[in-house]
Amino acid sequence: MTDAVMTDVPDISADWYHDIVRYADSTPQPVHWFATHFTEGAILLLGVLMVLAALTRLVGGDVRGRALALAAPITVLLSYGASEGLKDLIAEDRPCRSPADLVIVAGHCPPVGDWSFPSNHATIAGALAATTLLLHRRIGLVAAPLALLAALSRTFVGVHYPHDVAAGLLLGVLVGTLLTPLAARPVAELLARRSRRAARPLTRPARR
């Protein structure tokens, strides 16, 4: 992990962050409760939607569809890995550390060394939404706005700058959209070979 911490945050992102955090703090306590639970729960909901979309391809789908369903979780994990790599490379500190008296809906700031750019939550949300859309259009159209809200919630609860969630969301969408079809190709070839092998008739030795 690098020791250099990035402090050059875009002014507009910092201004938007403080405006959003001040607004979030002024909202009623039920909104705070919902936001703190939604920001975590939305990822689980997106995961469920991706699984449902994958099942539609695995059950009765063609070889390519089944390959996409099997490749989707892999690319979501790859997007998370890419996000973690960028975090360690860029090492942008969390916005909730300054000023010290800043009140955030999340209640506490993540520990030092848990860097801010890009947002892992937003990256995973983007990847889940993108792969779900590839697997099932209708389910994907539900996942897409949910992913956007999940990303925005990270700024609302005070743990990420707006540019963190924008970059994370874009990263997840790009990895999910571009790598899933690529990862599905070798999987499809493997499934096709297994299908041909299973369909091959068994030959019995000739009787003498």
Side-chain angles (χ1 to χ4, degrees), residues 5-6 16 20 24 37 44 48 60 64 71 76 86-87 98 101 127 132 135 150 163 175 180 188 202 208:
V5 179
M6 189 187 93
W16 284 356
I20 293 169
H37 287 79
L44 295 177
V48 170
R64 182 178 181 276
V76 173
L86 286 173
K87 276 180 178 286
S98 179
D101 60 349
T132 302
L135 293 169
H163 72 275
V175 172
T180 302
L202 296 176
R208 293 183 180 178

Side-chain angles (χ1 to χ4, degrees), residues 63 67 70 184-197:
V63 169
L70 294 172
R185 289 179 183 175
V187 178
E189 292 175 1
L190 178 61
L191 291 175
R193 284 199 298 268
R194 291 186 62 182
S195 180
R196 288 194 297 268
R197 193 177 301 123

Side-chain angles (χ1 to χ4, degrees), residues 23-202:
Y23 171 75
D25 184 47
S26 70
T27 58
Q29 282 301 318
V31 176
H32 293 191
W33 180 90
F34 176 79
T36 55
H37 287 79
F38 174 80
T39 195
E40 301 292 343
I43 301 299
L44 295 177
L45 289 174
L46 285 165
V48 170
L49 290 176
M50 190 195 74
V51 170
L52 290 175
L55 288 175
T56 65
R57 292 298 192 111
L58 289 171
V59 179
D62 57 12
V63 169
R64 182 178 181 276
R66 295 199 300 273
L68 284 172
L70 294 172
I74 298 172
T75 54
V76 173
L77 290 175
L78 288 175
S79 71
Y80 171 75
S83 178
E84 277 293 301
L86 286 173
K87 276 180 178 286
D88 286 342
L89 179 66
I90 297 172
E92 176 193 270
D93 207 4
R94 294 277 180 166
C96 41
R97 300 203 201 290
S98 179
D101 60 349
L102 184 68
V103 178
I104 61 174
V105 170
H108 64 277
C109 201
V112 176
D114 186 351
W115 306 118
S116 192
F117 181 92
S119 163
N120 279 345
H121 276 71
T123 302
I124 295 171
L128 286 169
T131 52
T132 302
L133 195 57
L134 284 174
L135 293 169
H136 194 287
R137 182 176 178 81
R138 289 183 180 177
I139 300 177
L141 290 177
V142 175
L146 181 60
L148 178 60
L149 290 174
L152 293 175
S153 72
R154 302 306 289 167
T155 299
F156 187 88
V157 300
V159 295
H160 279 290
Y161 289 109
H163 72 275
D164 297 337
V165 298
L169 197 61
L170 180 61
L171 174 63
V173 169
L174 287 176
V175 172
T177 302
L178 299 179
L179 292 191
T180 302
L182 292 177
R185 289 179 183 175
V187 178
E189 292 175 1
L190 178 61
L191 291 175
R193 284 199 298 268
R194 291 186 62 182
S195 180
R196 288 194 297 268
R197 193 177 301 123
R200 188 179 303 162
L202 296 176

